[in-house]
Amino acid sequence: MTTTQRWGTPEREDPERETRLPGARQPGSGPPGSGPPVGVDEVLARMRALEAALPAEDGVAVFNRVYLTVTEAVAGRLGDGAFADPAAAGELDVRFARRYFAAVDAAAAGRRPPACWRPLFQLRRHPGVHPLQFALAGINAHIGHDLALAVLDTCRALDCEPPALEGDFDRIGAVLTGLEERIRESLMPGPDLLDIADPLTHLAGSWSLEMARDAAWAAARMLWGARRLPEVAEEFTERLDASVGLVGRCLLTPLN
């Protein structure tokens, strides 16, 4: 995790290759979060397959390497007593990952991924975007939009309400927060190349993981409360998707 090579990657010229990667959802298997979870081990296998298949400089690969590191850390703690309910934490981890895989599969098949993911897929090869920007844009899309919906997916699957997941939601967040500084340091140029006025330094400091996680939890609670008002929930979800996508677009502003 100490080198830039450990994190990062662009879209394949052969989209069919991505759709054949381990863990890809097959046509007709239902929307993200439906059906049984594939399991944390299979999530890791899919991420590793993506890492092997994508060029290291691809923006999606950059995010995938970051996400793989976080998922490996969570998986390592599922069996060591770190979570109050390891089964529920694993369920949330898997259903969260499946929303990322759904975006990858949509882009590989020539379909439009959710608005929150579009900037990353559209700019994944842009030479003026720094690897740290790709990582932040992916984290922004996944936490800002997907995490709230994954909480709902998990609640439905386990027949529980969001408060039952809150403790382990925070514990998973603590794993990510603990890795955040290492992620930033591994992707930032050396201090001799940056100063306080550098645009990348300014951009990296403009997005907060903690605030994104807090907003995701609030969105999950709101959507759970509105589950009997489908039109309200749908409109809120669409606006959340669009607003997170706008933030992603800003994070990916070319700096060169």
Side-chain angles (χ1 to χ4, degrees):
M1 312 314 297
T2 59
T3 64
T4 301
Q5 287 71 23
R6 183 64 179 86
W7 320 90
T9 359
E11 192 167 325
R12 302 293 291 183
E13 295 302 323
D14 174 14
E16 291 302 316
R17 181 174 180 182
E18 284 191 4
T19 62
R20 291 194 297 268
L21 290 172
R25 191 167 48 256
Q26 299 303 311
S29 62
S34 68
V38 296
V40 175
D41 288 343
E42 291 189 43
V43 165
L44 289 168
R46 177 81 201 276
M47 290 179 181
R48 289 167 182 152
L50 284 168
E51 181 176 32
L54 295 169
E57 69 277 10
D58 182 293
V60 175
V62 175
F63 168 72
N64 188 78
R65 287 194 291 272
V66 170
Y67 195 8
L68 172 58
T69 299
V70 173
T71 305
E72 287 172 339
V74 171
R77 298 187 186 188
L78 284 172
D80 67 4
F83 295 101
D85 186 342
E91 184 83 13
L92 176 58
D93 191 62
V94 168
R95 291 182 180 273
F96 187 33
R98 289 177 70 181
R99 289 189 170 273
Y100 161 58
F101 296 148
V104 170
D105 293 340
R111 302 190 307 273
R112 282 163 63 87
C116 62
W117 285 106
R118 285 176 210 155
L120 179 60
F121 284 98
Q122 291 167 353
L123 296 171
R124 63 193 297 177
R125 294 192 183 97
H126 198 296
V129 178
H130 190 275
L132 179 60
Q133 294 176 259
F134 290 132
L136 291 178
I139 296 170
N140 170 69
H142 204 36
I143 290 182
H145 173 263
D146 294 352
L147 183 53
L149 302 184
V151 169
L152 268 64
D153 295 338
T154 304
C155 287
R156 295 186 185 106
L158 300 181
D159 193 21
C160 67
E161 299 200 359
L165 301 176
E166 186 171 9
D168 283 336
F169 176 97
D170 288 339
R171 292 180 184 95
I172 292 174
V175 173
L176 180 55
T177 301
L179 292 170
E180 182 185 18
E181 190 60 31
R182 288 172 54 194
I183 292 169
R184 289 176 181 261
E185 288 179 357
S186 70
L187 293 174
M188 287 285 279
D192 55 322
L193 300 178
L194 290 178
D195 58 42
I196 194 64
D198 187 276
L200 183 60
T201 302
H202 175 75
L203 185 146
S206 69
W207 188 86
S208 166
L209 172 61
E210 183 177 359
M211 291 182 66
R213 286 186 57 254
D214 288 347
W217 183 252
R221 292 185 59 192
M222 185 276 169
L223 285 167
W224 184 257
R227 65 191 184 280
R228 295 185 179 86
L229 300 170
E231 292 184 1
V232 173
E234 181 179 5
E235 181 178 356
F236 180 87
T237 302
E238 289 176 354
R239 292 183 181 276
L240 177 66
D241 188 22
S243 62
V244 171
L246 180 60
V247 173
R249 180 73 61 182
C250 294
L251 288 171
L252 291 171
T253 300
L255 300 180
N256 295 331

